[in-house]
Amino acid sequence: MVLICDRGVTERAKNLRERMLMRGIPAAVSALSSIRAFFPVRLFVCYTDVFDDLRRLPYGNVRCIAVGEGFVNSALNAVRVGGEEEAIAAAWHSLALHGPDASGFGCHLTPEIFRGPGFYEIRGHTVLFTRIEERIFLCLALAGNRCVSVENLRAFSLPGDREKRTEGAIAMHVCNLNAKLAPALGERPIREKRFYGYYLEGI
């Protein structure tokens, strides 16, 4: 999951999040002071004018992409890109969804998960997701066997203000995902841990 960090929940951060969501990247926005609530996080994206403030926080183990023209110390587990389009491409690269495979047709998220144009192949089974289902699936797949809270699945997966007004949306999408993933991964591969959230079993 990609967490876009700024000094607050700013318009520039929200606009970048919407662009990432449209490209299939699970992304949320956080003020620097609220980052901890969004873990597990796979990647930070920030702007060069807040990069130093971000790296003063105790999250140096999380890779960062900084957008802008300011200086970024690459020794701090970070890379600088000139604009938002470059940031989106770099985010895919950092999520291990980069580059074509040997056929030039798609890319691998893991050895068992292949992402092609408009579909996924999981253990030889073709799976078609809606955009929201894809983002929820990626959140869970990228989290490994760790639980992702319902609040964070909403924050990383649902577009715009829908994250605030659709209390049962995640449960509905998880039900649909379980039905689609069952042929590849067995019955109910997405499990719920009460009071903690959801996790993906079997990958």
Side-chain angles (χ1 to χ4, degrees):
M1 296 84 74
V2 176
L3 188 61
I4 303 167
C5 306
D6 211 341
R7 291 195 174 89
V9 180
T10 60
E11 285 303 312
R12 68 180 180 174
K14 289 194 288 187
N15 290 338
L16 177 55
R17 174 187 185 258
E18 292 302 312
R19 292 179 70 182
M20 285 194 172
L21 291 180
M22 292 302 293
R23 302 287 183 87
I25 300 172
V29 174
S30 174
L32 292 173
S33 59
S34 305
I35 288 172
R36 187 163 186 79
F38 290 88
F39 272 74
V41 172
R42 185 78 172 259
L43 175 71
F44 290 136
V45 174
C46 71
Y47 296 88
T48 53
D49 57 296
V50 298
F51 174 76
D52 288 338
D53 295 331
L54 173 63
R55 278 308 186 228
R56 287 188 191 102
L57 300 173
Y59 309 116
N61 60 317
V62 179
R63 185 160 172 75
C64 180
I65 296 168
V67 182
E69 299 303 319
F71 173 74
V72 169
N73 187 344
S74 60
L76 296 177
N77 197 15
V79 64
R80 184 186 66 80
V81 295
E84 292 186 350
E85 279 302 310
E86 290 176 68
I88 293 168
W92 276 117
H93 186 275
S94 293
L95 294 175
L97 294 170
H98 63 284
D101 68 350
S103 69
F105 183 63
C107 54
H108 286 273
L109 173 60
T110 72
E112 296 182 318
I113 304 173
F114 176 79
R115 184 181 190 265
F119 72 94
Y120 281 74
E121 187 174 291
I122 304 169
R123 295 183 181 165
H125 296 267
T126 299
V127 184
L128 302 177
F129 296 131
T130 67
R131 284 182 176 170
I132 293 174
E133 288 170 355
E134 177 183 23
R135 293 189 296 257
I136 292 171
F137 173 73
L138 287 175
C139 281
L140 296 171
L142 293 171
N145 58 2
R146 292 174 293 179
C147 277
V148 181
S149 71
V150 172
E151 294 78 16
N152 282 351
L153 286 174
R154 277 201 298 262
F156 283 101
S157 303
L158 300 183
D161 61 356
R162 291 178 61 186
E163 61 195 64
K164 295 189 171 91
R165 68 174 190 254
T166 51
E167 293 299 319
I170 295 300
M172 178 191 72
H173 289 301
V174 165
C175 182
N176 293 339
L177 277 166
N178 271 331
K180 291 180 177 183
L181 292 168
L185 298 175
E187 187 178 350
R188 280 192 347 108
I190 300 175
R191 303 294 179 98
E192 183 177 11
K193 192 171 184 180
R194 196 169 180 189
F195 305 121
Y196 288 94
Y198 292 97
Y199 64 98
L200 184 61
E201 190 173 76
I203 286 194

